[in-house]
Amino acid sequence: TGDHWGYGKEDGPSAWHRHYPVAKGSRQSPIDIIPDEARRDSSLGPIFLKYDRCTSLSIANNGHSVVVEFDDSDDRSVIQGGPLDNPYRLKQFHFHWGGKGCEGSEHTVAGVGYASELHLVHWNAVKYTTYEDAATAPDGLAVLGIFLEQGDDHRWLHTITDVLYMVKFKGSATNFKGFNPKCLLPSNLHYWTYLGSLTTPPLHESVIWIVLKEPIVVSEKQLGMFRILQFSGEEEDQRMRMENNFRPPQPLKERIVRSSN
Ligand SMILES: CCc1cc2c(cc1OS(N)(=O)=O)CC[C@@H]1[C@@H]2CC[C@]2(C)[C@@H](O)CC[C@@H]12
Ligand SMILES: [Zn+2]
């Protein structure tokens, strides 16, 4: 079941609407966040990340990104508060990045992109029985977006970049237990929030986005490690370096972006 979409010239974001018409929908992601136009909302409380008993299981290359999956059989790792009506269960996290020295984040801030963007994906297990069901519901998913800025080495990101060579090719996976993504958070959790979508096909409009204002800092060397990954499988003769796996900002349409205090 090879996905027939990618990030190339022929199969990239500008072509996705052919197979996925919702690409031109009313709540698509990512967007360009304009801080001065975000509505400061006093009813928006802080977000809480309860990842203490979190259990990562594996790390995999799905042909579009590198994904760390979690055991989501109970509420041991959840995000709650902020715009959320109930806790959402941690399911996976993955990254989007650019080419050497280029931008690679999906959301931009006043037109400026970051080197990369981390997505921590959670689903509404209170209202929906499966992740797949939640992924098609308007309040089904909550994705925490964290910008990665180029600078000094990030001491904990090494835990991930050091194992990327083991999942170089599409379809490869390996054990990755005991990783707690709390170590990838910036010092403060101020955020913007808006209603959006998956940023890759099938582009379901099922995501409550929570984008942190403060980026984390990672080195160019660490960013470069992501680029040893391949879009292609080991058996394919054509090597395709995994980079620029980001969708550009989409029209805001009738939405407003809210800001935490
Ligand atoms: C929000 C993170 C997420 C979830 C999914 C995708 C992509 C995603 O990344 S992103 N960048 O956060 O939007 C693409 C594949 C989707 C999946 C949600 C669940 C499915 C829709 C499955 O039911 C079948 C295809 C899956
Ligand atoms: Zn993503």
Side-chain angles (χ1 to χ4, degrees):
T1 60
D3 289 319
H4 42 257
W5 64 271
Y7 291 95
K9 185 117 187 53
E10 305 303 315
D11 63 359
S14 53
W16 291 350
H17 69 93
R18 293 184 206 135
H19 289 277
Y20 305 94
V22 73
K24 295 180 183 291
S26 60
R27 58 174 277 190
Q28 288 291 294
S29 292
I31 59 169
D32 178 42
I33 297 169
I34 303 172
D36 292 352
E37 293 177 10
R39 179 176 304 172
R40 190 170 292 281
D41 187 331
S42 54
S43 75
L44 268 184
I47 52 168
F48 297 100
L49 299 167
K50 297 181 188 292
Y51 288 167
D52 304 339
R53 293 179 48 242
C54 95
T55 44
S56 63
L57 297 172
S58 63
I59 187 167
N61 175 336
N62 65 10
H64 308 300
S65 181
V66 57
V67 189
V68 173
E69 297 278 351
F70 289 80
D71 172 355
D72 62 344
S73 56
D74 68 22
D75 269 353
R76 68 183 75 188
S77 309
V78 295
I79 183 173
Q80 62 188 62
L84 306 174
D85 293 343
N86 52 253
Y88 282 58
R89 217 176 263 184
L90 179 62
K91 169 75 179 164
Q92 53 109 313
F93 70 77
H94 63 273
F95 298 82
H96 302 265
W97 60 90
K100 187 158 172 43
C102 303
E103 276 148 19
S105 66
E106 299 213 294
H107 291 90
T108 53
V109 180
V112 179
Y114 285 87
S116 171
E117 187 170 330
L118 161 60
H119 289 160
L120 286 149
V121 177
H122 312 75
W123 62 283
N124 189 341
V126 165
K127 278 184 72 174
Y128 307 101
T129 44
T130 66
Y131 170 61
E132 287 72 18
D133 287 351
T136 62
D139 59 351
L141 301 179
V143 181
L144 185 66
I146 302 178
F147 293 120
L148 277 66
E149 179 176 75
Q150 189 180 306
D152 294 336
D153 223 46
H154 189 288
R155 62 166 296 161
W156 302 111
L157 191 64
H158 278 290
T159 320
I160 292 169
T161 52
D162 287 352
V163 302
L164 294 179
Y165 76 94
M166 298 176 76
V167 288
K168 186 175 175 184
F169 297 107
K170 173 180 178 179
S172 54
T174 189
N175 272 337
F176 192 68
K177 293 196 176 2
F179 182 80
N180 188 327
K182 225 171 169 60
C183 64
L184 297 178
L185 299 176
S187 54
N188 89 52
L189 298 182
H190 290 303
Y191 60 88
W192 294 290
T193 184
Y194 75 98
L195 298 181
S197 72
L198 306 186
T199 64
T200 73
L203 299 168
H204 294 323
E205 299 189 323
S206 58
V207 181
I208 297 170
W209 279 96
I210 300 170
V211 179
L212 296 187
K213 297 184 180 181
E214 183 185 330
I216 59 171
V217 179
V218 306
S219 64
E220 171 49 37
K221 191 169 176 302
Q222 289 176 309
L223 285 164
M225 300 293 280
F226 283 95
R227 293 187 207 102
I228 67 167
L229 299 168
Q230 301 282 315
F231 282 124
S232 44
E234 189 160 13
E235 70 293 337
E236 293 176 57
D237 49 14
Q238 191 187 0
R239 284 286 151 91
M240 289 171 22
R241 187 200 309 254
M242 188 179 278
E243 58 186 13
N244 297 308
N245 57 346
F246 64 93
R247 188 190 193 190
Q250 301 302 308
L252 185 62
K253 300 205 169 166
E254 301 309 305
R255 293 175 287 182
I256 54 124
V257 177
R258 292 188 291 162
S259 169
S260 69
N261 290 305

